[in-house]
Amino acid sequence: MTQQEDLVCIDASDKPKHAIVWLHGLGADGYDFVPIAEELKQLGLPATRFLFPHAPKIPVSINGGYIMRAWYDIKYTELQREEDEAGIRLSQSRVDGMIDQLIAEGIQPSNIVIAGFSQGGAIAYQTALRSKHKLGGLICLSTYLTCVDSFSDERTPHNQEIPILVCHGIADIVVLPERGQKAAKLLAECGYNVSWKTYNMPHSVCAEEIKDIADFLKILFKNTAF
């Protein structure tokens, strides 16, 4: 594991052929999902580079302006009300840069997956579905879509067929399950390859979900180019 100022990197080998950019939720940091890398490895995931970036520290309106790590500002409990579009697009641009860097280092776009939890999942949606590269897959956990009004105009046709795994806890009171299902339904109606899974959990991650993620990734990486 290597630590940089703005991210944590875990390489399973000297020359990994697969990569996952994993985005944490509001108020956490890149270390929040580092244990996931080891769990996925134990479940049979092939050699993979994990990038766990830290969101910047900004004032978050919904928390009284308290400064914390966030991918963008949130003003209301209705998460899509008066979205911080500038902040969303800034984080999107940052993840785009990580994808470009991975490709420059020799990892094929089809072997790159974008994953995220909660607010990080919203940026995962935002970035992957608009990416200039044909990516390998998308994992969105306990989250929702942002910038829906511009989605039809901005989504890239070459990512129409990427596999998408959408997971949500049925007891989630932070991001209601209905929001997650609404995102999955919209994408399915647009012709995307979406798998929707629910779990008996709150706004968190569970062992059953991690196993489903591992199964999703193993099939994905088996079927993509090296």
Side-chain angles (χ1 to χ4, degrees):
M1 180 173 70
T2 58
Q3 305 173 34
Q4 302 176 25
E5 183 177 352
D6 59 350
L7 62 81
V8 179
C9 177
I10 298 178
D11 272 340
S13 71
D14 291 338
K15 294 183 178 180
K17 296 177 179 178
H18 310 88
I20 302 174
V21 179
W22 203 303
L23 309 173
H24 63 77
L26 178 67
D29 61 24
Y31 292 102
D32 197 37
F33 279 91
V34 165
I36 292 286
E38 183 58 33
E39 292 185 60
L40 291 174
K41 180 181 176 181
Q42 292 176 359
L43 289 169
L45 190 69
T48 301
R49 173 175 295 165
F50 287 86
L51 295 183
F52 298 100
H54 307 306
K57 293 180 179 180
I58 63 171
V60 177
S61 300
I62 198 173
N63 289 330
Y66 186 79
I67 295 176
M68 61 177 62
R69 291 198 180 275
W71 298 107
Y72 53 90
D73 188 25
I74 296 178
K75 298 180 180 180
Y76 301 98
T77 54
E78 301 92 340
L79 299 172
Q80 292 164 304
R81 179 182 171 191
E82 291 189 30
E83 288 181 324
D84 174 19
E85 184 174 343
I88 290 168
R89 294 191 182 278
L90 184 62
S91 289
Q92 175 188 349
S93 177
R94 181 180 168 195
V95 179
D96 280 335
M98 294 180 198
I99 295 169
D100 289 340
Q101 183 61 36
L102 288 168
I103 294 170
E105 292 169 358
I107 297 178
Q108 296 293 322
S110 59
N111 283 335
I112 297 174
V113 173
I114 310 300
F117 174 80
S118 194
Q119 195 190 48
I123 295 299
Y125 268 139
Q126 177 76 19
T127 306
L129 300 178
R130 294 168 169 81
S131 178
K132 64 184 178 182
H133 302 289
K134 186 176 182 179
L135 302 176
L138 175 60
I139 300 172
C140 293
L141 312 176
S142 306
T143 191
Y144 52 95
L145 286 170
T146 52
C147 301
V148 174
D149 290 344
S150 61
F151 176 65
S152 293
D153 292 333
E154 295 178 351
R155 65 191 181 109
T156 47
H158 51 261
N159 279 310
Q160 179 76 39
E161 298 179 359
I162 65 169
I164 304 172
L165 177 64
V166 182
C167 304
H168 219 108
I170 61 174
D172 193 337
I173 61 173
V174 177
V175 179
L176 298 179
E178 292 81 3
R179 290 186 182 275
Q181 188 172 29
K182 182 178 179 181
K185 182 180 179 181
L186 174 62
L187 294 181
E189 290 173 348
C190 290
Y192 287 91
N193 178 16
V194 182
S195 296
W196 164 255
K197 293 183 177 291
T198 58
Y199 308 88
N200 186 19
M201 65 177 186
H203 194 62
S204 60
V205 178
C206 67
E208 181 184 0
E209 183 181 30
I210 293 171
K211 183 180 183 304
D212 285 340
I213 293 169
D215 291 342
F216 173 80
L217 288 169
K218 284 187 287 185
I219 293 172
L220 191 67
F221 289 158
K222 181 179 180 181
N223 293 334
T224 51
F226 275 63

